Structures are given as structure tokens and as C-alpha cells.
Amino acid sequence: MQPSSAYPVLLFSYGTLQDKAVQLANFGRELNGQADRMPGYRLDWVEITDPGVLATSGKSHHPIVSPSSQANDSVAGMVFQISEDELAAADRYEVADYKRVAVTLASGLTAWVYVRA
């Protein structure tokens, strides 16, 4: 997947940003993506208390990832092509438990992802 001029940013999602309702609420469109994996991370859960995020996702607990010391750990998800404006919308959606970092995925693509802050 090569970024186009309209969607130059790659975003890896392993959680609620894959949900159609969350995408429509934050980006105004449904995203198309491709499956990928994020090596070197493990999946956990975080309780969400932000009323807006709770209303959008409909879930009180969201997945969250942290670096892993286990060499064979990886997290499955989807890579989406989004715009800078959509990345800013994703930043607003994610609560303070998350921070955005760039990672190299199993495919070799480099994408933004939200990990445990």
C-alpha cells in the first residue's frame, strides 16, 4: 500500500479505530485497510472513562499495547491510509492513556500507532 497525495499518512489500528462507527464519528468516512502485525508489542486492556469516547465506541474497556520483552510477541491489526486532518482527529479521540509513536510493521511499512503512554 503506497500513500497517495490525498492520504499520505499510515495509521495502524489494533482496536476501536477499526470500528465503522468510530471511523464515521472521527473521520466522516469508513476506512479501507490491509491486515498487518506490529512485532515487539503485547496487547492489554485499559478502562475508558471519557464520556465522548465511551459514547462513540460503546465500550468501557479498549485494547492498549506496550513494548514486550518477548521476541515473538506481536499485535494484529489493520493499516489505514488517512490524511493529516484525520490523524489530528484520531489524536483528539484517543485518551491520555495513549501516546502516538511511529513503528515498523511486519510488512516493512512505517505507520503511526497509539501505545500505552
Side-chain angles (χ1 to χ4, degrees):
M1 173 186 307
Q2 294 298 318
S4 69
S5 58
Y7 303 109
V9 178
L10 294 180
L11 177 67
F12 179 77
S13 172
Y14 53 85
T16 61
L17 286 173
Q18 295 180 68
D19 295 348
K20 179 179 178 180
V22 172
Q23 292 174 0
L24 291 173
N26 287 284
F27 310 127
R29 68 184 181 102
E30 189 172 358
L31 304 179
N32 294 312
Q34 69 182 43
D36 211 329
R37 295 193 73 80
M38 186 172 58
Y41 285 81
R42 62 180 174 78
L43 189 66
D44 201 356
W45 294 90
V46 64
E47 184 175 5
I48 300 299
T49 58
D50 181 280
V53 174
L54 285 168
T56 301
S57 74
K59 298 176 179 133
S60 63
H61 288 78
H62 288 193
I64 195 164
V65 297
S66 302
S68 173
S69 60
Q70 302 298 315
N72 56 352
D73 277 353
S74 69
V75 175
M78 297 289 290
V79 180
F80 300 109
Q81 291 185 11
I82 63 171
S83 69
E84 290 284 347
D85 288 344
E86 289 169 330
L87 184 62
D91 285 346
R92 289 188 297 275
Y93 169 74
E94 296 296 353
V95 295
D97 296 292
Y98 296 86
K99 66 179 179 181
R100 179 165 47 94
V101 299
V103 296
T104 301
L105 303 172
S107 64
L109 293 172
T110 298
W112 291 112
V113 65
Y114 296 94
V115 301
R116 185 179 295 278

